[in-house]
Short mmCIF file of all heavy atoms in Angstrom, two decimals:
data_model
loop_
_atom_site.label_atom_id
_atom_site.label_comp_id
_atom_site.label_asym_id
_atom_site.label_seq_id
_atom_site.Cartn_x
_atom_site.Cartn_y
_atom_site.Cartn_z
N GLU A 20 88.80 82.28 121.84
CA GLU A 20 88.29 81.28 122.73
C GLU A 20 87.19 80.47 122.05
O GLU A 20 86.58 79.58 122.69
CB GLU A 20 87.73 81.96 123.99
CG GLU A 20 86.68 83.03 123.73
CD GLU A 20 86.35 83.89 124.89
OE1 GLU A 20 87.26 84.11 125.77
OE2 GLU A 20 85.21 84.35 124.96
N ARG A 21 86.96 80.72 120.77
CA ARG A 21 85.85 80.02 120.05
C ARG A 21 86.37 79.39 118.76
O ARG A 21 85.66 79.40 117.76
CB ARG A 21 84.74 80.97 119.77
CG ARG A 21 84.07 81.51 121.06
CD ARG A 21 82.94 82.44 120.85
NE ARG A 21 82.41 82.89 122.13
CZ ARG A 21 81.73 83.99 122.28
NH1 ARG A 21 81.46 84.78 121.25
NH2 ARG A 21 81.26 84.34 123.45
N THR A 22 87.59 78.93 118.77
CA THR A 22 88.14 78.35 117.49
C THR A 22 87.45 77.11 117.02
O THR A 22 87.49 76.77 115.83
CB THR A 22 89.65 78.05 117.72
OG1 THR A 22 89.78 77.15 118.82
CG2 THR A 22 90.42 79.35 117.99
N ALA A 23 86.75 76.43 117.91
CA ALA A 23 86.10 75.16 117.50
C ALA A 23 85.01 75.37 116.53
O ALA A 23 84.71 74.48 115.70
CB ALA A 23 85.62 74.43 118.75
N ASP A 24 84.33 76.45 116.60
CA ASP A 24 83.20 76.72 115.68
C ASP A 24 83.12 78.23 115.45
O ASP A 24 82.17 78.92 115.96
CB ASP A 24 81.92 76.20 116.31
CG ASP A 24 80.68 76.38 115.38
OD1 ASP A 24 80.92 76.58 114.16
OD2 ASP A 24 79.56 76.27 115.88
N TYR A 25 84.07 78.77 114.79
CA TYR A 25 84.23 80.23 114.69
C TYR A 25 83.21 80.82 113.68
O TYR A 25 82.94 80.30 112.62
CB TYR A 25 85.64 80.60 114.24
CG TYR A 25 85.95 82.07 114.51
CD1 TYR A 25 86.28 82.46 115.81
CD2 TYR A 25 85.84 83.01 113.50
CE1 TYR A 25 86.53 83.79 116.08
CE2 TYR A 25 86.09 84.32 113.80
CZ TYR A 25 86.42 84.74 115.07
OH TYR A 25 86.68 86.04 115.35
N ARG A 26 82.66 81.98 114.12
CA ARG A 26 81.66 82.68 113.30
C ARG A 26 82.22 84.06 112.88
O ARG A 26 82.58 84.87 113.71
CB ARG A 26 80.34 82.92 114.05
CG ARG A 26 79.71 81.65 114.60
CD ARG A 26 79.31 80.68 113.52
NE ARG A 26 78.79 79.43 114.07
CZ ARG A 26 77.52 79.16 114.26
NH1 ARG A 26 76.60 80.12 114.02
NH2 ARG A 26 77.12 78.00 114.72
N GLY A 27 82.36 84.25 111.55
CA GLY A 27 82.89 85.50 111.09
C GLY A 27 82.29 85.79 109.67
O GLY A 27 82.13 84.84 108.90
N HIS A 28 81.97 87.01 109.45
CA HIS A 28 81.40 87.42 108.13
C HIS A 28 82.07 88.71 107.72
O HIS A 28 82.17 89.69 108.50
CB HIS A 28 79.89 87.61 108.21
CG HIS A 28 79.24 87.99 106.89
ND1 HIS A 28 79.20 89.26 106.43
CD2 HIS A 28 78.70 87.19 105.97
CE1 HIS A 28 78.61 89.27 105.26
NE2 HIS A 28 78.27 88.03 104.94
N GLN A 29 82.56 88.77 106.48
CA GLN A 29 83.25 89.95 105.96
C GLN A 29 82.86 90.21 104.52
O GLN A 29 82.75 89.31 103.73
CB GLN A 29 84.77 89.71 106.06
CG GLN A 29 85.62 90.91 105.59
CD GLN A 29 86.99 90.55 105.22
OE1 GLN A 29 87.26 89.58 104.46
NE2 GLN A 29 87.98 91.26 105.78
N ARG A 30 82.67 91.50 104.23
CA ARG A 30 82.52 91.99 102.84
C ARG A 30 83.71 92.86 102.58
O ARG A 30 84.15 93.64 103.43
CB ARG A 30 81.25 92.81 102.68
CG ARG A 30 79.96 91.96 102.78
CD ARG A 30 78.76 92.86 102.89
NE ARG A 30 78.71 93.92 101.87
CZ ARG A 30 78.34 95.17 102.10
NH1 ARG A 30 78.01 95.53 103.30
NH2 ARG A 30 78.32 96.07 101.09
N VAL A 31 84.25 92.79 101.40
CA VAL A 31 85.39 93.60 100.97
C VAL A 31 85.00 94.42 99.75
O VAL A 31 84.66 93.87 98.72
CB VAL A 31 86.64 92.78 100.68
CG1 VAL A 31 87.79 93.62 100.12
CG2 VAL A 31 87.11 92.01 101.94
N LEU A 32 85.06 95.75 99.87
CA LEU A 32 84.79 96.62 98.75
C LEU A 32 86.13 97.16 98.28
O LEU A 32 86.86 97.82 99.02
CB LEU A 32 83.89 97.81 99.19
CG LEU A 32 82.58 97.48 99.87
CD1 LEU A 32 81.85 98.78 100.28
CD2 LEU A 32 81.74 96.60 99.02
N ALA A 33 86.46 96.86 97.05
CA ALA A 33 87.78 97.24 96.49
C ALA A 33 87.62 98.58 95.74
O ALA A 33 86.93 98.66 94.70
CB ALA A 33 88.29 96.20 95.52
N LEU A 34 88.25 99.60 96.29
CA LEU A 34 88.20 100.95 95.71
C LEU A 34 89.59 101.31 95.25
O LEU A 34 90.21 102.26 95.76
CB LEU A 34 87.72 101.97 96.76
CG LEU A 34 86.39 101.67 97.46
CD1 LEU A 34 86.10 102.74 98.50
CD2 LEU A 34 85.27 101.46 96.49
N GLY A 35 90.15 100.55 94.32
CA GLY A 35 91.50 100.80 93.90
C GLY A 35 92.48 100.44 94.97
O GLY A 35 92.46 99.31 95.52
N ASP A 36 93.37 101.38 95.43
CA ASP A 36 94.32 101.11 96.44
C ASP A 36 93.70 101.16 97.84
O ASP A 36 94.30 100.72 98.80
CB ASP A 36 95.44 102.20 96.39
CG ASP A 36 96.33 102.02 95.17
OD1 ASP A 36 96.37 100.90 94.66
OD2 ASP A 36 96.94 103.04 94.78
N VAL A 37 92.45 101.64 97.93
CA VAL A 37 91.77 101.68 99.24
C VAL A 37 90.77 100.53 99.32
O VAL A 37 90.05 100.19 98.36
CB VAL A 37 91.01 103.05 99.37
CG1 VAL A 37 90.17 103.06 100.70
CG2 VAL A 37 91.98 104.20 99.33
N THR A 38 90.75 99.91 100.50
CA THR A 38 89.83 98.79 100.72
C THR A 38 88.93 99.11 101.94
O THR A 38 89.45 99.54 102.96
CB THR A 38 90.54 97.49 100.98
OG1 THR A 38 91.42 97.21 99.88
CG2 THR A 38 89.61 96.32 101.18
N VAL A 39 87.65 98.92 101.78
CA VAL A 39 86.71 99.11 102.88
C VAL A 39 86.06 97.75 103.14
O VAL A 39 85.58 97.11 102.25
CB VAL A 39 85.62 100.19 102.53
CG1 VAL A 39 84.62 100.29 103.67
CG2 VAL A 39 86.29 101.51 102.23
N TRP A 40 86.08 97.32 104.44
CA TRP A 40 85.56 95.98 104.68
C TRP A 40 84.75 95.98 105.99
O TRP A 40 85.27 95.89 107.08
CB TRP A 40 86.68 94.94 104.73
CG TRP A 40 87.84 95.21 105.58
CD1 TRP A 40 88.90 95.95 105.33
CD2 TRP A 40 88.12 94.60 106.87
NE1 TRP A 40 89.84 95.93 106.32
CE2 TRP A 40 89.38 95.10 107.31
CE3 TRP A 40 87.46 93.68 107.70
CZ2 TRP A 40 89.97 94.70 108.52
CZ3 TRP A 40 88.00 93.31 108.91
CH2 TRP A 40 89.24 93.85 109.28
N PRO A 41 83.44 95.97 105.86
CA PRO A 41 82.58 95.68 107.06
C PRO A 41 82.67 94.25 107.45
O PRO A 41 82.71 93.32 106.61
CB PRO A 41 81.20 96.08 106.58
CG PRO A 41 81.24 95.88 105.07
CD PRO A 41 82.64 96.18 104.68
N ALA A 42 82.67 93.99 108.76
CA ALA A 42 82.81 92.60 109.26
C ALA A 42 82.13 92.46 110.61
O ALA A 42 82.13 93.42 111.38
CB ALA A 42 84.28 92.21 109.32
N THR A 43 81.66 91.28 110.87
CA THR A 43 81.18 90.87 112.17
C THR A 43 81.82 89.55 112.53
O THR A 43 81.81 88.62 111.74
CB THR A 43 79.64 90.76 112.18
OG1 THR A 43 79.03 92.01 111.83
CG2 THR A 43 79.09 90.31 113.53
N PHE A 44 82.36 89.44 113.76
CA PHE A 44 83.07 88.21 114.10
C PHE A 44 83.11 87.99 115.59
O PHE A 44 82.89 88.92 116.37
CB PHE A 44 84.49 88.23 113.55
CG PHE A 44 85.26 89.48 113.81
CD1 PHE A 44 86.06 89.64 114.93
CD2 PHE A 44 85.22 90.56 112.93
CE1 PHE A 44 86.77 90.77 115.18
CE2 PHE A 44 85.94 91.74 113.14
CZ PHE A 44 86.71 91.81 114.28
N ASP A 45 83.35 86.77 115.96
CA ASP A 45 83.46 86.34 117.37
C ASP A 45 84.72 86.89 117.99
O ASP A 45 85.58 87.49 117.33
CB ASP A 45 83.47 84.80 117.44
CG ASP A 45 82.11 84.17 117.23
OD1 ASP A 45 81.11 84.89 117.43
OD2 ASP A 45 82.03 82.96 116.90
N HIS A 46 84.84 86.66 119.31
CA HIS A 46 86.03 87.06 120.10
C HIS A 46 87.31 86.74 119.30
O HIS A 46 87.46 85.65 118.73
CB HIS A 46 86.04 86.33 121.42
CG HIS A 46 87.35 86.44 122.15
ND1 HIS A 46 88.34 85.48 122.06
CD2 HIS A 46 87.86 87.46 122.91
CE1 HIS A 46 89.40 85.82 122.77
NE2 HIS A 46 89.15 87.04 123.28
N LEU A 47 88.23 87.70 119.33
CA LEU A 47 89.46 87.51 118.56
C LEU A 47 90.61 88.32 119.20
O LEU A 47 90.37 89.43 119.73
CB LEU A 47 89.24 88.00 117.14
CG LEU A 47 90.24 87.54 116.07
CD1 LEU A 47 90.25 86.03 116.00
CD2 LEU A 47 89.84 88.10 114.70
N VAL A 48 91.78 87.78 119.17
CA VAL A 48 92.99 88.50 119.57
C VAL A 48 93.91 88.55 118.39
O VAL A 48 94.33 87.49 117.82
CB VAL A 48 93.69 87.84 120.76
CG1 VAL A 48 94.99 88.57 121.13
CG2 VAL A 48 92.77 87.75 122.00
N PHE A 49 94.25 89.79 117.95
CA PHE A 49 95.20 89.97 116.83
C PHE A 49 96.58 90.26 117.45
O PHE A 49 96.73 91.09 118.30
CB PHE A 49 94.78 91.21 116.01
CG PHE A 49 93.39 91.25 115.49
CD1 PHE A 49 92.33 91.58 116.36
CD2 PHE A 49 93.10 90.98 114.17
CE1 PHE A 49 91.00 91.63 115.91
CE2 PHE A 49 91.78 91.02 113.74
CZ PHE A 49 90.74 91.38 114.55
N HIS A 50 97.59 89.61 116.91
CA HIS A 50 98.95 89.81 117.41
C HIS A 50 99.86 89.92 116.18
O HIS A 50 100.12 88.93 115.51
CB HIS A 50 99.36 88.70 118.32
CG HIS A 50 100.60 88.99 119.08
ND1 HIS A 50 101.36 88.04 119.70
CD2 HIS A 50 101.23 90.18 119.30
CE1 HIS A 50 102.45 88.61 120.28
NE2 HIS A 50 102.35 89.90 120.10
N ARG A 51 100.35 91.11 115.97
CA ARG A 51 101.36 91.31 114.87
C ARG A 51 102.71 91.60 115.54
O ARG A 51 102.94 92.61 116.18
CB ARG A 51 100.93 92.46 113.96
CG ARG A 51 101.87 92.64 112.79
CD ARG A 51 101.16 93.36 111.61
NE ARG A 51 102.09 93.83 110.57
CZ ARG A 51 102.66 93.13 109.66
NH1 ARG A 51 102.42 91.82 109.62
NH2 ARG A 51 103.49 93.63 108.78
N THR A 52 103.62 90.64 115.35
CA THR A 52 104.87 90.64 116.04
C THR A 52 105.93 91.43 115.21
O THR A 52 105.77 91.65 113.97
CB THR A 52 105.39 89.24 116.23
OG1 THR A 52 105.65 88.64 114.97
CG2 THR A 52 104.39 88.40 117.01
N PRO A 53 107.03 91.86 115.86
CA PRO A 53 108.10 92.51 115.10
C PRO A 53 108.66 91.65 113.97
O PRO A 53 108.99 92.08 112.89
CB PRO A 53 109.16 92.75 116.19
CG PRO A 53 108.40 92.87 117.47
CD PRO A 53 107.29 91.93 117.30
N ARG A 54 108.66 90.31 114.20
CA ARG A 54 109.15 89.43 113.16
C ARG A 54 108.25 89.43 111.97
O ARG A 54 108.71 89.46 110.81
CB ARG A 54 109.26 87.98 113.76
CG ARG A 54 109.82 86.98 112.73
CD ARG A 54 109.95 85.60 113.38
NE ARG A 54 110.46 84.64 112.44
CZ ARG A 54 110.71 83.39 112.70
NH1 ARG A 54 110.44 82.89 113.94
NH2 ARG A 54 111.18 82.58 111.79
N LEU A 55 106.93 89.41 112.17
CA LEU A 55 105.98 89.49 111.08
C LEU A 55 106.10 90.83 110.31
O LEU A 55 105.94 90.87 109.10
CB LEU A 55 104.53 89.32 111.54
CG LEU A 55 104.15 87.85 112.01
CD1 LEU A 55 102.77 87.85 112.57
CD2 LEU A 55 104.26 86.90 110.83
N VAL A 56 106.33 91.88 111.05
CA VAL A 56 106.53 93.20 110.38
C VAL A 56 107.71 93.15 109.43
O VAL A 56 107.72 93.65 108.35
CB VAL A 56 106.67 94.33 111.45
CG1 VAL A 56 107.05 95.64 110.75
CG2 VAL A 56 105.37 94.51 112.25
N ARG A 57 108.82 92.58 109.93
CA ARG A 57 110.04 92.46 109.11
C ARG A 57 109.83 91.57 107.94
O ARG A 57 110.29 91.82 106.86
CB ARG A 57 111.18 91.91 109.98
CG ARG A 57 111.70 92.92 111.05
CD ARG A 57 113.06 92.44 111.59
NE ARG A 57 112.95 91.12 112.26
CZ ARG A 57 112.63 90.90 113.52
NH1 ARG A 57 112.44 91.95 114.31
NH2 ARG A 57 112.57 89.70 114.04
N GLN A 58 109.04 90.51 108.11
CA GLN A 58 108.84 89.56 107.01
C GLN A 58 107.92 90.10 105.93
O GLN A 58 108.15 89.85 104.71
CB GLN A 58 108.25 88.25 107.56
CG GLN A 58 109.21 87.44 108.38
CD GLN A 58 108.57 86.19 108.95
OE1 GLN A 58 107.35 86.06 108.97
NE2 GLN A 58 109.36 85.23 109.42
N SER A 59 106.91 90.88 106.31
CA SER A 59 105.93 91.34 105.34
C SER A 59 105.32 92.62 105.84
O SER A 59 104.61 92.61 106.88
CB SER A 59 104.81 90.31 105.08
OG SER A 59 103.83 90.75 104.22
N ASP A 60 105.52 93.71 105.11
CA ASP A 60 104.88 95.01 105.50
C ASP A 60 104.32 95.71 104.27
O ASP A 60 105.07 96.26 103.48
CB ASP A 60 105.91 95.90 106.19
CG ASP A 60 105.26 97.21 106.69
OD1 ASP A 60 104.04 97.33 106.58
OD2 ASP A 60 106.00 98.13 107.08
N PRO A 61 102.99 95.59 104.09
CA PRO A 61 102.39 96.32 102.94
C PRO A 61 102.34 97.82 103.07
O PRO A 61 101.91 98.53 102.17
CB PRO A 61 101.00 95.75 102.90
CG PRO A 61 100.73 95.32 104.30
CD PRO A 61 102.02 94.85 104.87
N GLU A 62 102.77 98.31 104.23
CA GLU A 62 102.84 99.74 104.48
C GLU A 62 101.47 100.42 104.34
O GLU A 62 101.31 101.40 103.60
CB GLU A 62 103.89 100.44 103.67
CG GLU A 62 105.32 99.95 103.93
CD GLU A 62 106.39 100.75 103.20
OE1 GLU A 62 106.03 101.64 102.40
OE2 GLU A 62 107.58 100.48 103.45
N VAL A 63 100.52 99.86 105.04
CA VAL A 63 99.15 100.42 105.00
C VAL A 63 98.77 100.85 106.40
O VAL A 63 99.26 100.34 107.40
CB VAL A 63 98.11 99.39 104.50
CG1 VAL A 63 98.41 99.02 103.04
CG2 VAL A 63 98.10 98.16 105.37
N LEU A 64 97.90 101.86 106.41
CA LEU A 64 97.27 102.26 107.67
C LEU A 64 95.90 101.64 107.73
O LEU A 64 95.20 101.49 106.73
CB LEU A 64 97.16 103.79 107.69
CG LEU A 64 98.50 104.50 107.87
CD1 LEU A 64 98.40 105.96 107.44
CD2 LEU A 64 99.03 104.45 109.30
N HIS A 65 95.50 101.26 108.90
CA HIS A 65 94.21 100.60 109.14
C HIS A 65 93.39 101.40 110.12
O HIS A 65 93.86 101.90 111.10
CB HIS A 65 94.39 99.23 109.66
CG HIS A 65 93.09 98.59 110.13
ND1 HIS A 65 92.24 97.97 109.27
CD2 HIS A 65 92.50 98.58 111.33
CE1 HIS A 65 91.15 97.58 109.92
NE2 HIS A 65 91.28 97.92 111.18
N LEU A 66 92.12 101.62 109.77
CA LEU A 66 91.17 102.21 110.67
C LEU A 66 89.97 101.25 110.82
O LEU A 66 89.51 100.70 109.85
CB LEU A 66 90.59 103.57 110.10
CG LEU A 66 91.56 104.73 109.97
CD1 LEU A 66 92.26 104.71 108.63
CD2 LEU A 66 90.82 106.08 110.14
N SER A 67 89.55 101.12 112.03
CA SER A 67 88.34 100.33 112.32
C SER A 67 87.33 101.20 113.01
O SER A 67 87.63 101.75 114.10
CB SER A 67 88.61 99.12 113.19
OG SER A 67 89.34 98.11 112.49
#
């Protein structure tokens, strides 16, 4: 609901195959569809 002036900050720590990323950001809706899964799947697990 805030696309006009979006505020987001992210740091990415690369630990080889593992990535740790602290972030702060405005309201957001993430939608990963079956089609996107079929098109690209890095086969990773995510924890927040």
Side-chain angles (χ1 to χ4, degrees):
E20 56 192 31
R21 297 181 182 158
T22 57
D24 183 17
Y25 197 79
R26 305 298 176 94
H28 182 275
Q29 181 200 50
R30 292 166 51 219
V31 175
L32 307 180
L34 309 178
D36 291 335
V37 176
T38 302
V39 177
W40 53 279
T43 298
F44 48 91
D45 285 339
H46 167 263
L47 199 58
V48 177
F49 307 77
H50 191 198
R51 184 155 165 80
T52 65
R54 182 177 180 180
L55 287 175
V56 172
R57 291 192 300 269
Q58 289 178 345
S59 175
D60 183 8
E62 298 187 355
V63 296
L64 290 161
H65 170 84
L66 295 87
S67 286

